[in-house]
Amino acid sequence: MYTKPENGRVTNIKPLMAVLAGSPEATPPIWLMRQAGRYLPEYRALRQKASSFLDFCYTPEMAVTATLQPIERFALDAAILFSDILVIPDALGMPVTFVEKVGPVLEPVTDARGVDGLKPGDGVTDHLTPVYQALRILRADLDPGISLIGFAGAPWTIATYMVEGRGGHGFETVKRLMWQAPDVFGRLMDRLEEAVAHHLIAQIEAGADCVKLFDSWAGVLPEPDFARQVIAPTRRIVDRVRAAHPDARIIGFPRQAGDRYAVYAAETGVDAVAVDQSVTLATMKSLAETVAVQGNLDPQLLVAGGEPMEARIREMVAGLAGHRHIFNLGHGVVPETPPEHVAALVAAVRGNA
Ligand code: CP3
């Protein structure tokens, strides 16, 4: 029996794992996407010591410290490994740099030569050994009631960065490659699927309790491409991870999937689906009939704080009571977020349950 004194919760199974395994918790487990990051002064101080963002990710001691910073401050129910989805293109031999105020910049891969010149997908785990080392240290250090989450980008989202050379813009180049050169694009997606499956399996073997697939740009795909580029590769990755580890718990986040979250939940075989802030509580309840559902406070409401945030938290916690709910945001914590608002959020979620 393990007792977590800060909030009086007494449990012998990690709350996040209980919800993923099928039982609702009276107090929903809570963690936040980008819970480690620039909104924390201790993160900014640590970040200054690294020569580059990727060096930061590949130095186990630094990655461990960053992972634990939000846990030490807020006693969250889960620690997510400090890393990035773009370690996969880096491990495939494609240099990635993170430019201040711009974000990630890559040398775009737009043709057969670029795609076929990438390293093999099953080789990424050699390049990523420092990531697994960080997980092993975390596994040993973490309080036993706190879950450890590993993650990867999903193939479609990683492909958008690799083909566009940057993130979150028009997606013209990647869509054109997908439709005009389906064989080349398919080979890129296959390579990514292979790499992601190996990376997730290695993270579970290094001690992750569960893994999450971030498909941040899933919502930009029309039909039938959403089924082909989001659902199908995710299903195959889930199958490969479960073939290696039948009990593996997997969270999927096809961001901005709208009315396609339900088919994603039904067809991919994930244990939980994370939803963005546009999804209603009614839809979350209906998703929670078959999978755990994670989300979905607006990250800007966390910046605003105060009564509007607290009112929405009360609504969410009451509305999803008795359901398999994991409290989170609809997307990552933004750098402008006052840390004391995160403390207030955690207290409100636990106080209102
Ligand atoms: O706390 C955590 O959530 C764990 C660590 C984590 C990071 N990135 C750290 C990070 C996770 C899970 C990610 C996932 C990630 N990375 C996604 C999927 C989730 C999402 O946001 O949609 C995506 C699309 C990326 C790609 C990426 N990495 C971008 C677009 C950027 C630049 C944006 C920014 O905030 O600067 C990054 C850099 C990055 N990854 C930072 C952090 C803390 C900021 C880097 C810095 O310190 O300057």
Side-chain angles (χ1 to χ4, degrees), residues 34-36 38 43 47 53 80-81 83-85 98 151 161 214 216 331:
R34 283 289 173 90
Q35 60 192 25
R38 284 169 300 191
Y43 172 85
R47 173 77 173 82
F53 179 70
I80 181 161
L81 168 72
S83 181
D84 200 82
I85 66 165
F98 287 82
F151 71 94
Y161 287 93
F214 286 91
S216 304
H331 201 191

mmCIF file with all atom_site columns, all heavy atoms in Angstrom, residues 34-36 38 43 47 53 80-81 83-85 98 151 161 214 216 331, ligand 1:
data_model
loop_
_atom_site.group_PDB
_atom_site.id
_atom_site.type_symbol
_atom_site.label_atom_id
_atom_site.label_alt_id
_atom_site.label_comp_id
_atom_site.label_asym_id
_atom_site.label_entity_id
_atom_site.label_seq_id
_atom_site.pdbx_PDB_ins_code
_atom_site.Cartn_x
_atom_site.Cartn_y
_atom_site.Cartn_z
_atom_site.occupancy
_atom_site.B_iso_or_equiv
_atom_site.pdbx_formal_charge
_atom_site.auth_seq_id
_atom_site.auth_comp_id
_atom_site.auth_asym_id
_atom_site.auth_atom_id
_atom_site.pdbx_PDB_model_num
ATOM   1   N N   . ARG A 1 34  ? 3.467  19.224 -22.138 1.00 0.00 ? 34  ARG A N   1
ATOM   2   C CA  . ARG A 1 34  ? 4.483  20.273 -21.945 1.00 0.00 ? 34  ARG A CA  1
ATOM   3   C C   . ARG A 1 34  ? 4.522  20.778 -20.515 1.00 0.00 ? 34  ARG A C   1
ATOM   4   O O   . ARG A 1 34  ? 4.704  21.976 -20.279 1.00 0.00 ? 34  ARG A O   1
ATOM   5   C CB  . ARG A 1 34  ? 4.225  21.469 -22.878 1.00 0.00 ? 34  ARG A CB  1
ATOM   6   C CG  . ARG A 1 34  ? 4.619  21.279 -24.320 1.00 0.00 ? 34  ARG A CG  1
ATOM   7   C CD  . ARG A 1 34  ? 6.136  21.256 -24.495 1.00 0.00 ? 34  ARG A CD  1
ATOM   8   N NE  . ARG A 1 34  ? 6.445  20.898 -25.867 1.00 0.00 ? 34  ARG A NE  1
ATOM   9   C CZ  . ARG A 1 34  ? 6.589  21.787 -26.853 1.00 0.00 ? 34  ARG A CZ  1
ATOM   10  N NH1 . ARG A 1 34  ? 6.523  23.065 -26.583 1.00 0.00 ? 34  ARG A NH1 1
ATOM   11  N NH2 . ARG A 1 34  ? 6.824  21.382 -28.060 1.00 0.00 ? 34  ARG A NH2 1
ATOM   12  N N   . GLN A 1 35  ? 4.377  19.837 -19.567 1.00 0.00 ? 35  GLN A N   1
ATOM   13  C CA  . GLN A 1 35  ? 4.439  20.261 -18.169 1.00 0.00 ? 35  GLN A CA  1
ATOM   14  C C   . GLN A 1 35  ? 5.853  20.703 -17.790 1.00 0.00 ? 35  GLN A C   1
ATOM   15  O O   . GLN A 1 35  ? 6.034  21.472 -16.846 1.00 0.00 ? 35  GLN A O   1
ATOM   16  C CB  . GLN A 1 35  ? 3.926  19.164 -17.241 1.00 0.00 ? 35  GLN A CB  1
ATOM   17  C CG  . GLN A 1 35  ? 4.684  17.840 -17.288 1.00 0.00 ? 35  GLN A CG  1
ATOM   18  C CD  . GLN A 1 35  ? 3.922  16.725 -16.555 1.00 0.00 ? 35  GLN A CD  1
ATOM   19  O OE1 . GLN A 1 35  ? 2.704  16.768 -16.421 1.00 0.00 ? 35  GLN A OE1 1
ATOM   20  N NE2 . GLN A 1 35  ? 4.644  15.731 -16.060 1.00 0.00 ? 35  GLN A NE2 1
ATOM   21  N N   . ALA A 1 36  ? 6.867  20.220 -18.514 1.00 0.00 ? 36  ALA A N   1
ATOM   22  C CA  . ALA A 1 36  ? 8.229  20.729 -18.356 1.00 0.00 ? 36  ALA A CA  1
ATOM   23  C C   . ALA A 1 36  ? 8.446  21.691 -19.512 1.00 0.00 ? 36  ALA A C   1
ATOM   24  O O   . ALA A 1 36  ? 8.176  21.346 -20.652 1.00 0.00 ? 36  ALA A O   1
ATOM   25  C CB  . ALA A 1 36  ? 9.232  19.586 -18.438 1.00 0.00 ? 36  ALA A CB  1
ATOM   26  N N   . ARG A 1 38  ? 9.324  26.144 -20.838 1.00 0.00 ? 38  ARG A N   1
ATOM   27  C CA  . ARG A 1 38  ? 9.807  27.505 -20.576 1.00 0.00 ? 38  ARG A CA  1
ATOM   28  C C   . ARG A 1 38  ? 8.981  28.313 -19.587 1.00 0.00 ? 38  ARG A C   1
ATOM   29  O O   . ARG A 1 38  ? 9.434  29.343 -19.118 1.00 0.00 ? 38  ARG A O   1
ATOM   30  C CB  . ARG A 1 38  ? 9.923  28.274 -21.893 1.00 0.00 ? 38  ARG A CB  1
ATOM   31  C CG  . ARG A 1 38  ? 11.158 27.857 -22.688 1.00 0.00 ? 38  ARG A CG  1
ATOM   32  C CD  . ARG A 1 38  ? 11.127 28.422 -24.080 1.00 0.00 ? 38  ARG A CD  1
ATOM   33  N NE  . ARG A 1 38  ? 9.935  27.927 -24.749 1.00 0.00 ? 38  ARG A NE  1
ATOM   34  C CZ  . ARG A 1 38  ? 9.690  28.046 -26.047 1.00 0.00 ? 38  ARG A CZ  1
ATOM   35  N NH1 . ARG A 1 38  ? 10.546 28.670 -26.821 1.00 0.00 ? 38  ARG A NH1 1
ATOM   36  N NH2 . ARG A 1 38  ? 8.591  27.556 -26.564 1.00 0.00 ? 38  ARG A NH2 1
ATOM   37  N N   . TYR A 1 43  ? 13.316 25.526 -15.427 1.00 0.00 ? 43  TYR A N   1
ATOM   38  C CA  . TYR A 1 43  ? 13.573 24.953 -16.752 1.00 0.00 ? 43  TYR A CA  1
ATOM   39  C C   . TYR A 1 43  ? 14.444 25.908 -17.571 1.00 0.00 ? 43  TYR A C   1
ATOM   40  O O   . TYR A 1 43  ? 15.427 25.489 -18.189 1.00 0.00 ? 43  TYR A O   1
ATOM   41  C CB  . TYR A 1 43  ? 12.261 24.675 -17.504 1.00 0.00 ? 43  TYR A CB  1
ATOM   42  C CG  . TYR A 1 43  ? 12.506 24.267 -18.949 1.00 0.00 ? 43  TYR A CG  1
ATOM   43  C CD1 . TYR A 1 43  ? 12.769 22.944 -19.280 1.00 0.00 ? 43  TYR A CD1 1
ATOM   44  C CD2 . TYR A 1 43  ? 12.532 25.223 -19.980 1.00 0.00 ? 43  TYR A CD2 1
ATOM   45  C CE1 . TYR A 1 43  ? 13.030 22.576 -20.594 1.00 0.00 ? 43  TYR A CE1 1
ATOM   46  C CE2 . TYR A 1 43  ? 12.790 24.864 -21.289 1.00 0.00 ? 43  TYR A CE2 1
ATOM   47  C CZ  . TYR A 1 43  ? 13.032 23.538 -21.592 1.00 0.00 ? 43  TYR A CZ  1
ATOM   48  O OH  . TYR A 1 43  ? 13.307 23.182 -22.887 1.00 0.00 ? 43  TYR A OH  1
ATOM   49  N N   . ARG A 1 47  ? 17.976 24.998 -19.200 1.00 0.00 ? 47  ARG A N   1
ATOM   50  C CA  . ARG A 1 47  ? 18.075 25.061 -20.664 1.00 0.00 ? 47  ARG A CA  1
ATOM   51  C C   . ARG A 1 47  ? 19.300 25.859 -21.099 1.00 0.00 ? 47  ARG A C   1
ATOM   52  O O   . ARG A 1 47  ? 19.939 25.532 -22.095 1.00 0.00 ? 47  ARG A O   1
ATOM   53  C CB  . ARG A 1 47  ? 16.782 25.691 -21.186 1.00 0.00 ? 47  ARG A CB  1
ATOM   54  C CG  . ARG A 1 47  ? 16.729 26.005 -22.656 1.00 0.00 ? 47  ARG A CG  1
ATOM   55  C CD  . ARG A 1 47  ? 16.483 24.756 -23.465 1.00 0.00 ? 47  ARG A CD  1
ATOM   56  N NE  . ARG A 1 47  ? 16.261 25.084 -24.868 1.00 0.00 ? 47  ARG A NE  1
ATOM   57  C CZ  . ARG A 1 47  ? 17.231 25.315 -25.749 1.00 0.00 ? 47  ARG A CZ  1
ATOM   58  N NH1 . ARG A 1 47  ? 18.497 25.284 -25.378 1.00 0.00 ? 47  ARG A NH1 1
ATOM   59  N NH2 . ARG A 1 47  ? 16.934 25.579 -27.003 1.00 0.00 ? 47  ARG A NH2 1
ATOM   60  N N   . PHE A 1 53  ? 19.105 22.321 -27.973 1.00 0.00 ? 53  PHE A N   1
ATOM   61  C CA  . PHE A 1 53  ? 17.950 21.617 -27.428 1.00 0.00 ? 53  PHE A CA  1
ATOM   62  C C   . PHE A 1 53  ? 18.134 20.102 -27.535 1.00 0.00 ? 53  PHE A C   1
ATOM   63  O O   . PHE A 1 53  ? 17.797 19.363 -26.615 1.00 0.00 ? 53  PHE A O   1
ATOM   64  C CB  . PHE A 1 53  ? 16.671 22.076 -28.138 1.00 0.00 ? 53  PHE A CB  1
ATOM   65  C CG  . PHE A 1 53  ? 15.440 21.371 -27.645 1.00 0.00 ? 53  PHE A CG  1
ATOM   66  C CD1 . PHE A 1 53  ? 14.942 21.622 -26.377 1.00 0.00 ? 53  PHE A CD1 1
ATOM   67  C CD2 . PHE A 1 53  ? 14.788 20.439 -28.437 1.00 0.00 ? 53  PHE A CD2 1
ATOM   68  C CE1 . PHE A 1 53  ? 13.809 20.962 -25.898 1.00 0.00 ? 53  PHE A CE1 1
ATOM   69  C CE2 . PHE A 1 53  ? 13.658 19.774 -27.978 1.00 0.00 ? 53  PHE A CE2 1
ATOM   70  C CZ  . PHE A 1 53  ? 13.173 20.034 -26.702 1.00 0.00 ? 53  PHE A CZ  1
ATOM   71  N N   . ILE A 1 80  ? 6.183  12.905 -17.720 1.00 0.00 ? 80  ILE A N   1
ATOM   72  C CA  . ILE A 1 80  ? 6.431  12.548 -19.125 1.00 0.00 ? 80  ILE A CA  1
ATOM   73  C C   . ILE A 1 80  ? 7.900  12.816 -19.417 1.00 0.00 ? 80  ILE A C   1
ATOM   74  O O   . ILE A 1 80  ? 8.426  13.894 -19.092 1.00 0.00 ? 80  ILE A O   1
ATOM   75  C CB  . ILE A 1 80  ? 5.483  13.279 -20.111 1.00 0.00 ? 80  ILE A CB  1
ATOM   76  C CG1 . ILE A 1 80  ? 5.774  12.832 -21.552 1.00 0.00 ? 80  ILE A CG1 1
ATOM   77  C CG2 . ILE A 1 80  ? 5.543  14.795 -19.952 1.00 0.00 ? 80  ILE A CG2 1
ATOM   78  C CD1 . ILE A 1 80  ? 4.654  13.122 -22.541 1.00 0.00 ? 80  ILE A CD1 1
ATOM   79  N N   . LEU A 1 81  ? 8.542  11.812 -19.973 1.00 0.00 ? 81  LEU A N   1
ATOM   80  C CA  . LEU A 1 81  ? 9.956  11.920 -20.317 1.00 0.00 ? 81  LEU A CA  1
ATOM   81  C C   . LEU A 1 81  ? 10.227 13.235 -21.039 1.00 0.00 ? 81  LEU A C   1
ATOM   82  O O   . LEU A 1 81  ? 9.517  13.589 -21.985 1.00 0.00 ? 81  LEU A O   1
ATOM   83  C CB  . LEU A 1 81  ? 10.316 10.765 -21.259 1.00 0.00 ? 81  LEU A CB  1
ATOM   84  C CG  . LEU A 1 81  ? 11.676 10.894 -21.945 1.00 0.00 ? 81  LEU A CG  1
ATOM   85  C CD1 . LEU A 1 81  ? 12.793 10.668 -20.941 1.00 0.00 ? 81  LEU A CD1 1
ATOM   86  C CD2 . LEU A 1 81  ? 11.773 9.932  -23.114 1.00 0.00 ? 81  LEU A CD2 1
ATOM   87  N N   . SER A 1 83  ? 11.839 14.956 -23.770 1.00 0.00 ? 83  SER A N   1
ATOM   88  C CA  . SER A 1 83  ? 12.457 14.614 -25.053 1.00 0.00 ? 83  SER A CA  1
ATOM   89  C C   . SER A 1 83  ? 11.678 15.379 -26.115 1.00 0.00 ? 83  SER A C   1
ATOM   90  O O   . SER A 1 83  ? 11.049 16.389 -25.812 1.00 0.00 ? 83  SER A O   1
ATOM   91  C CB  . SER A 1 83  ? 12.376 13.094 -25.263 1.00 0.00 ? 83  SER A CB  1
ATOM   92  O OG  . SER A 1 83  ? 12.992 12.727 -26.486 1.00 0.00 ? 83  SER A OG  1
ATOM   93  N N   . ASP A 1 84  ? 11.684 14.916 -27.338 1.00 0.00 ? 84  ASP A N   1
ATOM   94  C CA  . ASP A 1 84  ? 10.899 15.586 -28.384 1.00 0.00 ? 84  ASP A CA  1
ATOM   95  C C   . ASP A 1 84  ? 10.515 14.589 -29.463 1.00 0.00 ? 84  ASP A C   1
ATOM   96  O O   . ASP A 1 84  ? 11.206 13.578 -29.658 1.00 0.00 ? 84  ASP A O   1
ATOM   97  C CB  . ASP A 1 84  ? 11.691 16.745 -29.002 1.00 0.00 ? 84  ASP A CB  1
ATOM   98  C CG  . ASP A 1 84  ? 10.753 17.715 -29.702 1.00 0.00 ? 84  ASP A CG  1
ATOM   99  O OD1 . ASP A 1 84  ? 10.162 18.573 -29.012 1.00 0.00 ? 84  ASP A OD1 1
ATOM   100 O OD2 . ASP A 1 84  ? 10.566 17.598 -30.934 1.00 0.00 ? 84  ASP A OD2 1
ATOM   101 N N   . ILE A 1 85  ? 9.461  14.904 -30.210 1.00 0.00 ? 85  ILE A N   1
ATOM   102 C CA  . ILE A 1 85  ? 9.064  14.005 -31.296 1.00 0.00 ? 85  ILE A CA  1
ATOM   103 C C   . ILE A 1 85  ? 10.091 14.032 -32.433 1.00 0.00 ? 85  ILE A C   1
ATOM   104 O O   . ILE A 1 85  ? 10.155 13.095 -33.227 1.00 0.00 ? 85  ILE A O   1
ATOM   105 C CB  . ILE A 1 85  ? 7.654  14.326 -31.849 1.00 0.00 ? 85  ILE A CB  1
ATOM   106 C CG1 . ILE A 1 85  ? 7.616  15.677 -32.545 1.00 0.00 ? 85  ILE A CG1 1
ATOM   107 C CG2 . ILE A 1 85  ? 6.596  14.256 -30.762 1.00 0.00 ? 85  ILE A CG2 1
ATOM   108 C CD1 . ILE A 1 85  ? 6.365  15.864 -33.422 1.00 0.00 ? 85  ILE A CD1 1
ATOM   109 N N   . PHE A 1 98  ? 16.764 23.662 -33.434 1.00 0.00 ? 98  PHE A N   1
ATOM   110 C CA  . PHE A 1 98  ? 15.649 24.388 -32.824 1.00 0.00 ? 98  PHE A CA  1
ATOM   111 C C   . PHE A 1 98  ? 16.063 25.844 -32.749 1.00 0.00 ? 98  PHE A C   1
ATOM   112 O O   . PHE A 1 98  ? 17.004 26.192 -32.051 1.00 0.00 ? 98  PHE A O   1
ATOM   113 C CB  . PHE A 1 98  ? 15.335 23.818 -31.434 1.00 0.00 ? 98  PHE A CB  1
ATOM   114 C CG  . PHE A 1 98  ? 14.670 22.475 -31.513 1.00 0.00 ? 98  PHE A CG  1
ATOM   115 C CD1 . PHE A 1 98  ? 15.409 21.317 -31.688 1.00 0.00 ? 98  PHE A CD1 1
ATOM   116 C CD2 . PHE A 1 98  ? 13.282 22.368 -31.447 1.00 0.00 ? 98  PHE A CD2 1
ATOM   117 C CE1 . PHE A 1 98  ? 14.793 20.074 -31.784 1.00 0.00 ? 98  PHE A CE1 1
ATOM   118 C CE2 . PHE A 1 98  ? 12.656 21.129 -31.525 1.00 0.00 ? 98  PHE A CE2 1
ATOM   119 C CZ  . PHE A 1 98  ? 13.416 19.981 -31.700 1.00 0.00 ? 98  PHE A CZ  1
ATOM   120 N N   . PHE A 1 151 ? 7.031  8.521  -25.061 1.00 0.00 ? 151 PHE A N   1
ATOM   121 C CA  . PHE A 1 151 ? 6.218  8.995  -26.187 1.00 0.00 ? 151 PHE A CA  1
ATOM   122 C C   . PHE A 1 151 ? 7.002  9.009  -27.491 1.00 0.00 ? 151 PHE A C   1
ATOM   123 O O   . PHE A 1 151 ? 8.224  8.894  -27.509 1.00 0.00 ? 151 PHE A O   1
ATOM   124 C CB  . PHE A 1 151 ? 5.659  10.402 -25.925 1.00 0.00 ? 151 PHE A CB  1
ATOM   125 C CG  . PHE A 1 151 ? 6.714  11.495 -25.975 1.00 0.00 ? 151 PHE A CG  1
ATOM   126 C CD1 . PHE A 1 151 ? 6.954  12.195 -27.155 1.00 0.00 ? 151 PHE A CD1 1
ATOM   127 C CD2 . PHE A 1 151 ? 7.467  11.817 -24.858 1.00 0.00 ? 151 PHE A CD2 1
ATOM   128 C CE1 . PHE A 1 151 ? 7.933  13.198 -27.217 1.00 0.00 ? 151 PHE A CE1 1
ATOM   129 C CE2 . PHE A 1 151 ? 8.435  12.809 -24.897 1.00 0.00 ? 151 PHE A CE2 1
ATOM   130 C CZ  . PHE A 1 151 ? 8.666  13.500 -26.076 1.00 0.00 ? 151 PHE A CZ  1
ATOM   131 N N   . TYR A 1 161 ? 6.850  17.573 -40.503 1.00 0.00 ? 161 TYR A N   1
ATOM   132 C CA  . TYR A 1 161 ? 8.067  18.343 -40.204 1.00 0.00 ? 161 TYR A CA  1
ATOM   133 C C   . TYR A 1 161 ? 9.187  17.992 -41.185 1.00 0.00 ? 161 TYR A C   1
ATOM   134 O O   . TYR A 1 161 ? 9.943  18.854 -41.616 1.00 0.00 ? 161 TYR A O   1
ATOM   135 C CB  . TYR A 1 161 ? 8.529  18.094 -38.764 1.00 0.00 ? 161 TYR A CB  1
ATOM   136 C CG  . TYR A 1 161 ? 7.636  18.781 -37.745 1.00 0.00 ? 161 TYR A CG  1
ATOM   137 C CD1 . TYR A 1 161 ? 6.562  18.119 -37.171 1.00 0.00 ? 161 TYR A CD1 1
ATOM   138 C CD2 . TYR A 1 161 ? 7.853  20.112 -37.381 1.00 0.00 ? 161 TYR A CD2 1
ATOM   139 C CE1 . TYR A 1 161 ? 5.734  18.751 -36.256 1.00 0.00 ? 161 TYR A CE1 1
ATOM   140 C CE2 . TYR A 1 161 ? 7.028  20.754 -36.475 1.00 0.00 ? 161 TYR A CE2 1
ATOM   141 C CZ  . TYR A 1 161 ? 5.970  20.072 -35.910 1.00 0.00 ? 161 TYR A CZ  1
ATOM   142 O OH  . TYR A 1 161 ? 5.144  20.704 -35.023 1.00 0.00 ? 161 TYR A OH  1
ATOM   143 N N   . PHE A 1 214 ? 1.843  11.203 -30.293 1.00 0.00 ? 214 PHE A N   1
ATOM   144 C CA  . PHE A 1 214 ? 1.375  12.561 -30.585 1.00 0.00 ? 214 PHE A CA  1
ATOM   145 C C   . PHE A 1 214 ? 1.166  12.708 -32.096 1.00 0.00 ? 214 PHE A C   1
ATOM   146 O O   . PHE A 1 214 ? 2.129  12.717 -32.857 1.00 0.00 ? 214 PHE A O   1
ATOM   147 C CB  . PHE A 1 214 ? 2.414  13.596 -30.152 1.00 0.00 ? 214 PHE A CB  1
ATOM   148 C CG  . PHE A 1 214 ? 2.502  13.809 -28.661 1.00 0.00 ? 214 PHE A CG  1
ATOM   149 C CD1 . PHE A 1 214 ? 3.376  13.064 -27.886 1.00 0.00 ? 214 PHE A CD1 1
ATOM   150 C CD2 . PHE A 1 214 ? 1.727  14.768 -28.033 1.00 0.00 ? 214 PHE A CD2 1
ATOM   151 C CE1 . PHE A 1 214 ? 3.465  13.273 -26.512 1.00 0.00 ? 214 PHE A CE1 1
ATOM   152 C CE2 . PHE A 1 214 ? 1.815  14.990 -26.664 1.00 0.00 ? 214 PHE A CE2 1
ATOM   153 C CZ  . PHE A 1 214 ? 2.687  14.237 -25.897 1.00 0.00 ? 214 PHE A CZ  1
ATOM   154 N N   . SER A 1 216 ? -0.082 15.515 -33.709 1.00 0.00 ? 216 SER A N   1
ATOM   155 C CA  . SER A 1 216 ? -0.518 16.909 -33.519 1.00 0.00 ? 216 SER A CA  1
ATOM   156 C C   . SER A 1 216 ? -1.180 17.501 -34.752 1.00 0.00 ? 216 SER A C   1
ATOM   157 O O   . SER A 1 216 ? -1.987 18.413 -34.642 1.00 0.00 ? 216 SER A O   1
ATOM   158 C CB  . SER A 1 216 ? 0.689  17.763 -33.143 1.00 0.00 ? 216 SER A CB  1
ATOM   159 O OG  . SER A 1 216 ? 1.316  17.223 -32.003 1.00 0.00 ? 216 SER A OG  1
ATOM   160 N N   . HIS A 1 331 ? -3.987 20.964 -25.375 1.00 0.00 ? 331 HIS A N   1
ATOM   161 C CA  . HIS A 1 331 ? -2.693 21.005 -26.057 1.00 0.00 ? 331 HIS A CA  1
ATOM   162 C C   . HIS A 1 331 ? -1.671 21.396 -24.989 1.00 0.00 ? 331 HIS A C   1
ATOM   163 O O   . HIS A 1 331 ? -2.019 21.440 -23.810 1.00 0.00 ? 331 HIS A O   1
ATOM   164 C CB  . HIS A 1 331 ? -2.735 21.986 -27.241 1.00 0.00 ? 331 HIS A CB  1
ATOM   165 C CG  . HIS A 1 331 ? -1.663 21.737 -28.280 1.00 0.00 ? 331 HIS A CG  1
ATOM   166 N ND1 . HIS A 1 331 ? -1.389 22.619 -29.292 1.00 0.00 ? 331 HIS A ND1 1
ATOM   167 C CD2 . HIS A 1 331 ? -0.785 20.717 -28.442 1.00 0.00 ? 331 HIS A CD2 1
ATOM   168 C CE1 . HIS A 1 331 ? -0.406 22.140 -30.049 1.00 0.00 ? 331 HIS A CE1 1
ATOM   169 N NE2 . HIS A 1 331 ? -0.030 20.981 -29.547 1.00 0.00 ? 331 HIS A NE2 1
HETATM 170 O O1  . CP3 B 2 .   ? 6.758  18.136 -20.899 1.00 0.00 ? 1   CP3 B O1  1
HETATM 171 C C1  . CP3 B 2 .   ? 6.535  17.458 -21.927 1.00 0.00 ? 1   CP3 B C1  1
HETATM 172 O O2  . CP3 B 2 .   ? 5.439  17.462 -22.539 1.00 0.00 ? 1   CP3 B O2  1
HETATM 173 C C2  . CP3 B 2 .   ? 7.612  16.513 -22.432 1.00 0.00 ? 1   CP3 B C2  1
HETATM 174 C C3  . CP3 B 2 .   ? 8.467  16.978 -23.446 1.00 0.00 ? 1   CP3 B C3  1
HETATM 175 C C4  . CP3 B 2 .   ? 7.963  17.298 -24.849 1.00 0.00 ? 1   CP3 B C4  1
HETATM 176 C C5  . CP3 B 2 .   ? 8.549  18.327 -25.620 1.00 0.00 ? 1   CP3 B C5  1
HETATM 177 N N1  . CP3 B 2 .   ? 8.035  18.265 -26.876 1.00 0.00 ? 1   CP3 B N1  1
HETATM 178 C C6  . CP3 B 2 .   ? 9.579  19.270 -25.123 1.00 0.00 ? 1   CP3 B C6  1
HETATM 179 C C7  . CP3 B 2 .   ? 9.864  20.496 -25.886 1.00 0.00 ? 1   CP3 B C7  1
HETATM 180 C C8  . CP3 B 2 .   ? 7.020  16.660 -25.653 1.00 0.00 ? 1   CP3 B C8  1
HETATM 181 C C9  . CP3 B 2 .   ? 6.057  15.533 -25.312 1.00 0.00 ? 1   CP3 B C9  1
HETATM 182 C C10 . CP3 B 2 .   ? 7.084  17.282 -26.944 1.00 0.00 ? 1   CP3 B C10 1
HETATM 183 C C11 . CP3 B 2 .   ? 6.270  16.832 -28.091 1.00 0.00 ? 1   CP3 B C11 1
HETATM 184 C C12 . CP3 B 2 .   ? 6.304  17.620 -29.321 1.00 0.00 ? 1   CP3 B C12 1
HETATM 185 N N2  . CP3 B 2 .   ? 7.362  18.268 -29.903 1.00 0.00 ? 1   CP3 B N2  1
HETATM 186 C C13 . CP3 B 2 .   ? 5.189  17.743 -30.198 1.00 0.00 ? 1   CP3 B C13 1
HETATM 187 C C14 . CP3 B 2 .   ? 3.840  17.100 -30.006 1.00 0.00 ? 1   CP3 B C14 1
HETATM 188 C C15 . CP3 B 2 .   ? 2.993  17.866 -29.065 1.00 0.00 ? 1   CP3 B C15 1
HETATM 189 C C16 . CP3 B 2 .   ? 2.537  19.214 -29.583 1.00 0.00 ? 1   CP3 B C16 1
HETATM 190 O O3  . CP3 B 2 .   ? 3.020  20.220 -29.052 1.00 0.00 ? 1   CP3 B O3  1
HETATM 191 O O4  . CP3 B 2 .   ? 1.728  19.227 -30.533 1.00 0.00 ? 1   CP3 B O4  1
HETATM 192 C C17 . CP3 B 2 .   ? 5.594  18.535 -31.289 1.00 0.00 ? 1   CP3 B C17 1
HETATM 193 C C18 . CP3 B 2 .   ? 4.738  18.952 -32.463 1.00 0.00 ? 1   CP3 B C18 1
HETATM 194 C C19 . CP3 B 2 .   ? 6.975  18.851 -31.092 1.00 0.00 ? 1   CP3 B C19 1
HETATM 195 C C20 . CP3 B 2 .   ? 7.849  19.610 -32.013 1.00 0.00 ? 1   CP3 B C20 1
HETATM 196 C C21 . CP3 B 2 .   ? 8.429  20.802 -31.357 1.00 0.00 ? 1   CP3 B C21 1
HETATM 197 N N3  . CP3 B 2 .   ? 9.409  20.777 -30.365 1.00 0.00 ? 1   CP3 B N3  1
HETATM 198 C C22 . CP3 B 2 .   ? 8.120  22.153 -31.616 1.00 0.00 ? 1   CP3 B C22 1
HETATM 199 C C23 . CP3 B 2 .   ? 7.086  22.635 -32.626 1.00 0.00 ? 1   CP3 B C23 1
HETATM 200 C C24 . CP3 B 2 .   ? 8.923  22.929 -30.787 1.00 0.00 ? 1   CP3 B C24 1
HETATM 201 C C25 . CP3 B 2 .   ? 9.055  24.423 -30.784 1.00 0.00 ? 1   CP3 B C25 1
HETATM 202 C C26 . CP3 B 2 .   ? 7.946  25.084 -30.064 1.00 0.00 ? 1   CP3 B C26 1
HETATM 203 C C27 . CP3 B 2 .   ? 8.462  25.707 -28.809 1.00 0.00 ? 1   CP3 B C27 1
HETATM 204 O O5  . CP3 B 2 .   ? 7.712  25.665 -27.828 1.00 0.00 ? 1   CP3 B O5  1
HETATM 205 O O6  . CP3 B 2 .   ? 9.574  26.227 -28.827 1.00 0.00 ? 1   CP3 B O6  1
HETATM 206 C C28 . CP3 B 2 .   ? 9.701  22.049 -29.978 1.00 0.00 ? 1   CP3 B C28 1
HETATM 207 C C29 . CP3 B 2 .   ? 10.668 22.406 -28.932 1.00 0.00 ? 1   CP3 B C29 1
HETATM 208 C C30 . CP3 B 2 .   ? 10.373 21.916 -27.550 1.00 0.00 ? 1   CP3 B C30 1
HETATM 209 N N4  . CP3 B 2 .   ? 10.034 20.625 -27.245 1.00 0.00 ? 1   CP3 B N4  1
HETATM 210 C C31 . CP3 B 2 .   ? 10.449 22.667 -26.341 1.00 0.00 ? 1   CP3 B C31 1
HETATM 211 C C32 . CP3 B 2 .   ? 10.127 21.788 -25.295 1.00 0.00 ? 1   CP3 B C32 1
HETATM 212 C C33 . CP3 B 2 .   ? 10.103 22.084 -23.821 1.00 0.00 ? 1   CP3 B C33 1
HETATM 213 C C34 . CP3 B 2 .   ? 10.870 24.126 -26.231 1.00 0.00 ? 1   CP3 B C34 1
HETATM 214 C C35 . CP3 B 2 .   ? 12.339 24.184 -26.449 1.00 0.00 ? 1   CP3 B C35 1
HETATM 215 C C36 . CP3 B 2 .   ? 13.046 25.277 -25.683 1.00 0.00 ? 1   CP3 B C36 1
HETATM 216 O O7  . CP3 B 2 .   ? 13.325 25.099 -24.498 1.00 0.00 ? 1   CP3 B O7  1
HETATM 217 O O8  . CP3 B 2 .   ? 13.367 26.292 -26.291 1.00 0.00 ? 1   CP3 B O8  1
#
